[in-house]
Amino acid sequence: MNAAASVGGSGSVRLFCALTLPGDVLDRLVAWQAGLPPGGYRLVPRENLHLTLAFLGSRPAGDVEPIRAELEAAAREARPIELHERGYRETRSVGMLVFDDVGRAAGELARAVQTRLQRIGVYEPELRPWLPHLTVVRFRERPRLAPPLPGLGTVVPSGAAVYHSVLRRTGAEYVVLHQVGFVGLEP
């Protein structure tokens, strides 16, 4: 059974759409995380590292298929995406790497996905502008880290996916329901 089949039925699921990262980038991020000083925070596991395009929250399971179709349509029209790490910052509950969107192609894709999802009635636009970022740690109290950047160089996402966020006592687990690759979209 595939992941999409496991959310079938009339229940609700927590969904989001995100950019996925190639394995070598994920490996370098995990190595960088391992070098962070010990503290009162949880590292985001490798399988949960992504750049969110649109958070949809709790949706009926029947919405997965139209969301997949809209994500695929937006991804087919996407220009090549190139991201460069800009810095590390903390909010009240997460630490993140923030990226510069070279050529603004990632932002265009985020807006296209959000517009398409809003049009079919499954997305409420956020008030703040989209920021290309990657959550790397979660915490209850800010650890006030000031780590060196991981030195990723140019990051080219491998694709985009619809994720199911499964809440567990140990933290959220992100399950890829549908993934679309960016074939031929090398910068």
Side-chain angles (χ1 to χ4, degrees), residues 15 55-60 63 66-67 70 113-125:
L15 300 173
F55 180 74
L56 306 170
S58 185
R59 303 292 321 158
D63 285 353
I67 290 166
E70 296 299 337
V113 168
Q114 293 166 7
T115 299
R116 286 173 168 278
L117 297 176
Q118 183 180 13
R119 189 179 64 232
I120 64 169
V122 299
Y123 178 73
E124 278 291 318

Side-chain angles (χ1 to χ4, degrees), residues 148-163:
L149 296 178
L152 299 174
T154 299
V155 174
V156 177
S158 54
V162 178
Y163 285 85

Side-chain angles (χ1 to χ4, degrees), residues 44 50 59 68 71 77 88 102-103 113 126 136 154 158 165 187:
V44 174
H50 65 275
R59 303 292 321 158
R68 179 212 54 81
L71 178 66
E77 298 170 1
Y88 171 86
V102 179
V113 168
E126 294 188 32
V136 292
T154 299
S158 54
S165 175

Side-chain angles (χ1 to χ4, degrees), residues 17-22 50-51 53 71 75 81 109 156-163 178-183 185:
C17 297
L19 293 171
T20 57
L21 299 168
H50 65 275
L51 288 97
L53 295 168
L71 178 66
I81 295 172
L109 176 60
V156 177
S158 54
V162 178
Y163 285 85
H178 295 284
Q179 186 163 4
V180 56
F182 290 147
V183 178
L185 283 185

Side-chain angles (χ1 to χ4, degrees), residues 23-148:
D24 65 317
V25 172
L26 294 171
D27 292 342
R28 287 184 285 159
L29 284 165
V30 168
W32 174 80
Q33 287 175 313
L36 293 174
Y41 54 83
R42 290 188 334 262
L43 298 177
V44 174
R46 183 184 199 277
E47 59 275 9
N48 284 4
L49 294 169
H50 65 275
L51 288 97
T52 302
L53 295 168
F55 180 74
L56 306 170
S58 185
R59 303 292 321 158
D63 285 353
V64 171
E65 180 54 29
I67 290 166
R68 179 212 54 81
E70 296 299 337
L71 178 66
E72 279 190 13
R76 276 195 306 271
E77 298 170 1
R79 293 186 302 115
I81 295 172
E82 197 175 324
L83 302 169
H84 290 244
E85 60 193 347
R86 178 182 352 149
Y88 171 86
R89 71 180 251 202
E90 293 177 356
T91 67
R92 61 182 169 73
S93 60
V94 302
M96 64 180 72
L97 292 172
V98 178
F99 292 84
D100 287 324
D101 181 9
V102 179
R104 295 185 165 79
E108 288 173 8
L109 176 60
R111 282 186 297 283
V113 168
Q114 293 166 7
T115 299
R116 286 173 168 278
L117 297 176
Q118 183 180 13
R119 189 179 64 232
I120 64 169
V122 299
Y123 178 73
E124 278 291 318
E126 294 188 32
L127 297 177
R128 61 182 182 238
W130 181 77
L131 176 69
H133 71 279
L134 177 67
T135 300
V136 292
V137 297
R138 296 188 178 279
F139 43 77
R140 292 185 196 273
E141 265 186 58
R142 275 189 191 175
R144 305 218 183 276
L145 298 172

